Amino acid sequence: MEDPAVANPAQPDYPQHWEADVLLRDGGTARIRPITPDDAGRLVEFYEQVSDQSKYFRFFAPYPRLSDKDVRRFTHHDFVNRVGLAVVVRDHFIATVRYDRIDAEGRPSEHGTDAEVAFLVQDAHQGRGVASALLEHIAAVAQERGIRRFQAEVLPENRKMVKVFTDAGYTQRRSFTDGVVHLEFDLEQTDRSLAVMRAREHRAEARSVQRLLTPRSVAVIGVSRNPQTVGRALLRDLLGSFDTEFASRYEPEHAPRAVYAVNRGAPPGTELDGVPVHRSILDIPGPVDLAVIAVPESAVPAAVAECGAHGVQGLVVVTAGYAETGPEGRGRQRALVRQARAAGMRVIGPNAFGLINTDPDRPLNASLAPHLPDRGGFGIFCQSGAIGVALLEAAHRRGLGVSSFASVGNRSDVSGNDFLQYWAEDDATEVVLLYLESFGNPRKFTRIARRLAAAKPVVVVKGARHTGSLPPGHAVPATATGLRDATVDALFEQAGVTRVATITELFDTGELLAQQPLPPGDRVAVVGNSDSLGLLTYDACLSAGLRPCTPVDLTTAATGENFRIALDVALSDPAVDAVIAVAIPPIGTSAHAFMGGRLAGPDDPEMGSDDPEMGSDDPEIATALLEAGERARELGKPLVLAHLALTDLPTRLRPGGIPAYAAPERAVRALAHAVHYAQWRRRTAEAEETARVPELDRIDEPGARALVEAALSTRAATAARTQPGGARITLPDAEARALLARYGIDVSPTLPAPDEEAAVRAADQLGYPVALKATAPHLRHRPDLGSVRLDLTGEPGLRRAHRELDALLGGAAGAELVVQQLAPRGVDTVIGATVDPAVGAILSFGLAGAPAELLGDVAHRLVPATDQDVAGLIREVRAAPLLFGWRGAEAVDTDALEELLLRVSQLVDDVPEIASVDLEPVVVAPHGLAILGARVRVAPLPVRSDLGPRAMSTL
């Protein structure tokens, strides 16, 4: 089906990449695209619906209609010096913007760097953020065409338009002449303009999800007489959520909530489950906010078209047969999203399980779940329907309530990022649980999740940890399909996201974070009635990086009073940050009896069931734990229970919000995640006040850019662009050293030594002592092959070493021998920075050799890194003690190491064409450091999408 919102112009220079779907302030969608000659009719129709006042504000005079000359001028553009963009909804213009390039005197020009800009927005769509979105896109277009500044003239009465310009955050100047406000503003992004853009994005995405979760009316399209069909099940589930004791409380000043059923083949007068069935959504007399589509894939386009014509705001498409089936299905999925967005609708799905909202004032079950879950503080998002069922079942089994739930299937439009934006604003959501199988926009996820995690815990299970496989049907850019798991960990770490391995661990951790205070530290008291269980808990704490106190054993005969006293002592101890109570059935009491050589529990048929004292736990212990839980909250310390064979105790503790785990390892893992998250919260709050990117000396950004541009203009770089995998080229050593030197990164010089005489000359030039080493790719960084000779203090030793390596490595020329001045003794490290188009630049650090290469002991941070980031980076690797004087060795110069990391971070951040930097080895001595090897690769990378104008994904 042809998308009417796409211009498909005849002119070959049409800039297709300027087209974009955008979210408006109210959560609706629209398409921004260039205006072409084919739009003459649309422009005239648009202008006729603009009020006389808006026309006057645009042209500074009465202008009731457009002449043929006007229509031609406003629809014919060269897309360089004259550009017009339109906002399109349902194939109708709702707003336009145009710029004309001018010279310093304000005359039309083909070479000036200024342009006049003017907007016109239909009155019915003013206040939706249309002009703000248009300004972002026309500014990006102008910058692409070499324009650096916009000028605009606005009547003082046109306060809305003046506000659009002034609120955008650009550097601007204002003057007032002849009754007109003259505005000039630079188009270079500023911190404020970027913050404004992201705040608008946040509001629009949050609002779009809110509209999906709180519809006043819902239609199920594809309802069948067969009660076993998906459509019929959806209708029943929806009626169950609408027909509640709360339904009448929903916005009483408006019309009551309504459910509609649609089946194209239904005879007139048909009712199903008490709901009249319409043959088309167009036959429904009132508005429909949300449509749930459960028709065969071939019938979906027609259903979507009718929804758009009826003014539906959102779609839940449970129909399968799209991208999960292969390339043809992916094409159908893209067409579905284009069609929906062109009509102003957002899409959950296709292949979706559905949406749930438990708000008692506006409950919604637009899903295949047969019942609404209990009300609670968990916001849950997943992509797989099967996982969605498992998550809802796990929440129900544990007695945990849900605020809202989404299982979005192929995630073609609405994504986890949208729900994160919504949950950041939703007071009912206290903890966010995510099951992610892929990333659509990792860079954006990190930015949004970091802001959310500063206020609410975000716990994630990320599938495909080892394989990196992409589930069928998921819309993911090519740049995001191969994210290494270490990169994902770095994203989560800096965003404050808690990563867990299983669904059980997801709820274990979420329950603790939702019901207990965040621990103020990592010191843990272990108190209970089992010495063995206490020791297991103690060992688990050590393995998790916690600092446990010696367990307090109350013995198996402990009473509730014993627990109460011991827990109060532990909680009152200023050296304790959290308490784990451990409990087993009190052997020797009425909970167990010894019968005929075996232990009998309360459920044993021979014990009978009439004794009110019988149970799988002692109620007094439960009472003691509940009292301790209140005390723990007062002190701001978490209290959890690890137990064995106590089936009733967790239920008794549930009203007091004390998490109970049927294994000590589970309790410790959940507590360790809470400790780590609390530490991140404290670090983040402190970093906002103290962290900085220091001003470094010896920084020559223009010089570095010139070197990179020269490298990318070479014939080799041109040839590399045609190679599979992109255009990354490795700079020659001399060019790499020169580039790094522009940022104060000095690489120890090397001189070639193809023969003995050249080696001697090189050593004389550099000065003894020297090192002789092989630099051929197959020998580089392989001292285990004997390819390096150190501590050469004179000519005889150097000649002897050269002869040895020449014989050992099959010739000096093939081994590419070089002479280098000997570095001071220290710890060999490796520093790297790699630009991932999906994530951005990532800074890495590890100790050279086996720790990094064999054991993967490497830490990562996103760029730009602050002083606190790099300080944490070098301390995060497991081999970090070697830097700080392990076993009596002298500590090395970590200040110099941190400065080097900051310089590398700033280099790749300032010059995005640098694709990677590898420094190995970097020998860190007690005083200073030496960089013995460096490799730099460059590439004409695409513009970072997260810094451009707001646009929805087009996958």
Side-chain angles (χ1 to χ4, degrees):
M1 175 180 292
E2 182 179 352
D3 182 358
V6 178
N8 294 321
Q11 59 263 50
D13 56 347
Y14 178 81
Q16 188 81 32
H17 64 286
W18 291 352
E19 296 188 359
D21 294 322
V22 295
L23 269 178
L24 303 178
R25 182 180 300 158
D26 60 1
T29 64
R31 188 164 186 82
I32 293 178
R33 65 167 175 83
I35 298 173
T36 72
D38 292 340
D39 291 319
R42 295 184 183 90
L43 181 67
V44 171
E45 177 196 41
F46 158 74
Y47 195 77
E48 289 174 348
Q49 297 183 43
V50 175
S51 70
D52 290 340
Q53 183 185 53
S54 294
K55 293 173 182 175
Y56 183 85
F57 285 160
R58 170 64 177 85
F59 294 105
F60 296 3
Y63 216 91
R65 64 185 61 83
L66 295 176
S67 66
D68 291 343
K69 183 179 180 181
D70 292 329
V71 172
R72 178 176 177 81
R73 180 163 65 96
F74 292 136
T75 57
H76 286 68
H77 306 97
D78 61 8
F79 302 126
V80 177
N81 303 310
R82 298 179 309 282
V83 173
L85 301 180
V87 181
V88 187
V89 176
R90 299 188 183 92
D91 201 27
H92 298 286
F93 283 7
I94 65 169
T96 62
V97 64
R98 173 187 170 95
Y99 81 66
D100 293 88
R101 190 190 299 264
I102 57 176
D103 61 17
E105 305 299 325
R107 296 171 300 204
S109 169
E110 295 184 358
H111 307 290
T113 58
D114 283 21
E116 290 182 337
V117 64
F119 295 77
L120 186 60
V121 181
Q122 273 185 4
D123 297 67
H125 296 278
Q126 292 177 12
R128 300 183 66 198
V130 176
S132 299
L134 265 181
L135 177 57
E136 291 176 18
H137 283 261
I138 197 69
V141 167
Q143 283 187 290
E144 182 182 325
R145 296 310 196 202
I147 291 171
R148 298 292 173 258
R149 183 171 57 180
F150 272 162
Q151 298 184 26
E153 292 189 340
V154 185
L155 291 174
E157 309 96 287
N158 193 359
R159 288 185 293 272
K160 291 182 180 179
M161 200 68 244
V162 172
K163 184 174 175 59
V164 167
F165 290 125
T166 57
D167 287 354
Y170 296 106
T171 302
Q172 60 181 267
R173 292 159 294 280
R174 184 192 302 202
S175 60
F176 185 78
T177 306
D178 297 330
V180 174
V181 178
H182 184 80
L183 296 167
E184 296 181 4
F185 49 98
D186 300 329
L187 300 184
E188 187 71 26
Q189 283 277 19
T190 65
D191 290 343
R192 181 168 177 266
S193 67
L194 191 60
V196 168
M197 181 179 70
R198 288 177 172 172
R200 289 170 173 166
E201 171 193 72
H202 167 72
R203 289 193 297 268
E205 291 175 354
R207 175 58 180 152
S208 73
V209 171
Q210 183 186 41
R211 295 206 313 180
L212 291 167
L213 288 171
T214 58
R216 288 189 296 271
S217 53
V218 185
V220 181
I221 302 176
V223 176
S224 168
R225 284 196 178 92
N226 184 349
Q228 305 304 316
T229 60
V230 170
R232 191 68 176 276
L234 287 165
L235 180 64
R236 286 195 301 270
D237 299 343
L238 190 61
L239 288 170
S241 64
F242 269 44
D243 185 19
T244 69
E245 61 179 299
F246 306 108
S248 61
R249 292 166 47 191
Y250 179 79
E251 297 185 358
E253 70 273 17
H254 299 296
R257 304 177 79 193
V259 176
Y260 303 102
V262 177
N263 185 315
R264 189 169 296 278
T270 301
E271 284 194 6
L272 293 173
D273 297 318
V275 177
V277 181
H278 301 270
R279 295 175 62 89
S280 166
I281 197 170
L282 297 174
D283 296 336
I284 295 174
V288 175
D289 296 330
L290 180 69
V292 184
I293 297 180
V295 299
E297 177 275 321
S298 59
V300 170
V304 173
E306 292 182 353
C307 288
H310 196 64
V312 173
Q313 296 177 351
L315 306 174
V316 176
V317 182
V318 301
T319 304
Y322 287 87
E324 76 276 8
T325 65
E328 291 185 5
R330 184 172 295 280
R332 292 193 296 270
Q333 182 168 298
R334 288 171 174 160
L336 163 66
V337 174
R338 286 197 302 269
Q339 183 185 11
R341 288 179 178 173
M345 299 181 292
R346 299 218 67 182
V347 179
I348 296 285
N351 197 23
F353 184 77
L355 285 176
I356 290 175
N357 181 13
T358 64
D359 184 344
D361 288 334
R362 52 192 72 188
L364 173 73
N365 185 8
S367 79
L368 293 169
H371 304 289
L372 272 177
D374 293 334
R375 178 67 168 169
F378 287 94
I380 301 177
F381 175 91
C382 66
Q383 294 159 239
S384 160
I387 295 296
V389 172
L391 293 174
L392 290 174
E393 170 60 25
H396 174 73
R397 189 173 61 251
R398 291 168 176 253
L400 301 176
V402 175
S403 61
S404 50
F405 165 90
S407 179
V408 300
N410 292 3
R411 191 179 45 73
S412 63
D413 178 28
V414 178
S415 71
N417 288 343
D418 296 295
F419 275 88
L420 291 179
Q421 301 275 37
Y422 169 73
W423 283 322
E425 300 296 321
D426 181 33
D427 293 337
T429 300
E430 299 170 351
V431 177
V432 171
L433 305 182
L434 307 176
Y435 184 92
L436 301 179
E437 295 165 342
S438 62
F439 284 107
N441 188 337
R443 190 195 304 263
K444 183 176 178 180
F445 170 86
T446 305
R447 171 169 55 82
I448 297 172
R450 181 181 178 88
R451 186 184 67 244
L452 174 58
K456 303 177 183 182
V458 180
V459 189
V460 175
V461 176
K462 173 66 173 66
R465 184 180 193 116
H466 299 293
T467 65
S469 59
L470 184 67
H474 286 216
V476 174
T479 55
T481 57
L483 282 180
R484 296 179 304 162
D485 200 58
T487 301
V488 174
D489 277 338
L491 291 177
F492 288 159
E493 174 67 27
Q494 286 204 255
V497 171
T498 300
R499 182 174 187 174
V500 298
T502 65
I503 291 177
T504 298
E505 192 176 354
L506 181 77
F507 278 99
D508 283 349
T509 305
E511 183 176 2
L512 192 156
L513 289 168
Q515 298 182 343
Q516 291 292 308
L518 288 179
D522 59 359
R523 301 166 300 177
V524 182
V526 180
V527 178
N529 65 353
S530 169
D531 181 48
S532 298
L533 192 57
L535 289 175
L536 287 173
T537 305
Y538 179 89
D539 290 343
C541 286
L542 290 175
S543 298
L546 303 176
R547 293 188 290 163
C549 308
T550 302
V552 176
D553 179 25
L554 304 177
T555 77
T556 56
T559 64
E561 180 65 11
N562 298 140
F563 266 91
R564 187 189 65 76
I565 294 172
L567 290 172
D568 185 68
V569 170
L571 288 167
S572 301
D573 189 345
V576 170
D577 300 309
V579 176
I580 300 178
V582 296
I584 63 171
I587 298 174
T589 67
S590 60
H592 286 89
F594 194 75
M595 298 179 58
R598 65 185 176 87
L599 279 173
D603 296 327
D604 195 294
E606 297 185 40
M607 292 292 296
S609 57
D610 297 330
D611 189 347
E613 297 282 333
M614 297 302 294
S616 66
D617 63 71
D618 184 344
E620 292 183 1
I621 294 178
T623 301
L625 286 166
L626 289 170
E627 291 178 0
E630 295 179 2
R631 174 70 171 154
R633 283 189 176 82
E634 294 173 2
L635 296 171
K637 299 179 180 182
L639 169 65
V640 302
L641 171 70
H643 69 93
L644 294 179
L646 293 173
T647 56
D648 293 341
L649 186 56
T651 303
R652 296 182 192 273
L653 298 181
R654 190 171 293 166
I658 299 176
Y661 304 100
E665 298 82 6
R666 288 175 53 189
V668 170
R669 278 197 300 267
L671 180 59
H673 286 310
V675 167
H676 187 75
Y677 171 64
Q679 290 172 338
W680 178 87
R681 287 268 293 259
R682 289 191 291 270
R683 286 197 310 269
T684 301
E686 179 184 351
E688 290 180 355
E689 302 294 331
T690 62
R692 61 192 182 92
V693 178
E695 291 286 338
L696 300 171
D697 60 357
R698 300 176 58 202
I699 300 295
D700 180 10
E701 182 180 341
R705 288 186 177 276
L707 288 174
V708 170
E709 290 172 4
L712 292 174
S713 66
T714 63
R715 182 172 299 178
T718 301
R721 289 185 175 90
T722 66
Q723 301 302 313
R728 296 189 175 195
I729 63 170
T730 302
L731 296 182
D733 286 349
E735 293 183 19
R737 284 185 170 85
L739 175 60
L740 293 169
R742 293 294 192 276
Y743 272 69
I745 302 169
D746 299 318
V747 182
S748 297
T750 60
L751 296 175
D755 53 50
E756 283 186 40
E757 300 305 322
V760 171
R761 290 193 300 271
D764 289 338
Q765 180 177 339
L766 295 173
Y768 289 97
V770 296
L772 181 69
K773 63 182 183 180
T775 60
H778 65 291
L779 298 171
R780 182 174 295 188
H781 308 311
R782 293 297 306 275
D784 55 307
L785 299 179
S787 59
V788 178
R789 295 292 185 270
L790 303 175
D791 290 318
L792 303 174
T793 59
E795 181 177 331
L798 176 59
R799 288 184 180 275
R800 183 170 57 254
H802 196 283
R803 288 193 296 270
E804 291 174 356
L805 291 182
D806 183 69
L808 178 66
L809 302 176
E816 299 181 19
L817 294 182
V818 299
V819 174
Q820 189 171 45
Q821 193 170 34
L822 190 67
R825 294 192 179 277
V827 179
D828 288 1
T829 65
V830 56
I831 291 174
T834 302
V835 176
D836 187 313
V839 178
I842 300 172
L843 185 67
S844 304
F845 171 78
L847 269 64
E853 297 175 16
L854 181 62
L855 303 178
D857 188 16
V858 180
H860 307 274
R861 290 292 186 275
L862 298 182
V863 169
T866 67
D867 53 354
Q868 294 186 13
D869 287 332
V870 298
L873 187 65
I874 67 173
R875 290 163 174 80
E876 187 173 307
V877 295
R878 295 190 297 277
L882 293 173
L883 302 171
F884 297 96
W886 186 62
R887 287 189 173 179
E890 189 174 2
V892 301
D893 192 347
T894 53
D895 288 342
L897 182 58
E898 292 174 13
E899 180 181 323
L900 176 58
L901 286 162
L902 287 168
R903 291 184 182 277
V904 173
S905 169
Q906 186 169 343
L907 172 62
V908 296
D909 191 49
D910 288 347
V911 189
E913 294 85 359
I914 295 177
S916 67
V917 174
D918 295 293
L919 307 180
E920 184 182 5
V922 177
V923 182
V924 190
H927 302 285
L929 54 77
I931 305 170
L932 303 185
R935 184 178 68 166
V936 178
R937 292 191 296 171
V938 297
L941 294 177
V943 176
R944 299 182 185 182
S945 59
D946 202 37
L947 300 179
R950 286 174 288 158
M952 302 169 72
S953 170
T954 56
L955 297 172

